[in-house]
Amino acid sequence: MFFQPYILVAVIAIVIAALLLFVIRRKPDVNRLSPFASLAFAFIIAGIVFSEDQILGYILMGIGLILALVDMIRR
């Protein structure tokens, strides 16, 4: 009973992401994320997910930030 609002929010977020992905795929000139940017995004999301353990969350976010900076410098 306690987790039902979280499940509802997660399902709504997945549906919105799927719709956005469907709309974005129709445009052929959309810039794609580089591998470093994708990896940085994944590390930042993992840092948010594991934020209950503060040290692990901050380490994951820091790795994501470093990868994002490396990607910006390379571009």
Side-chain angles (χ1 to χ4, degrees):
M1 183 88 171
F2 177 71
F3 292 105
Q4 287 180 355
Y6 294 114
I7 293 172
L8 179 64
V9 169
V11 169
I12 290 172
I14 290 171
V15 168
I16 290 172
L19 288 175
L20 287 175
L21 184 65
F22 180 73
V23 169
I24 289 174
R25 283 196 175 197
R26 289 186 176 212
K27 299 178 184 176
D29 60 342
V30 173
N31 293 334
R32 300 275 183 212
L33 284 178
S34 69
F36 274 119
S38 301
L39 199 56
F41 186 69
F43 272 107
I44 291 173
I45 295 299
I48 293 170
V49 169
F50 293 111
S51 64
E52 287 186 19
D53 183 10
Q54 288 184 351
I55 293 174
L56 178 62
Y58 286 137
I59 288 172
L60 291 172
M61 284 187 195
I63 292 170
L65 179 64
I66 290 170
L67 288 174
L69 290 173
V70 167
D71 183 51
M72 283 190 264
I73 292 170
R74 288 185 65 201
R75 283 189 169 195

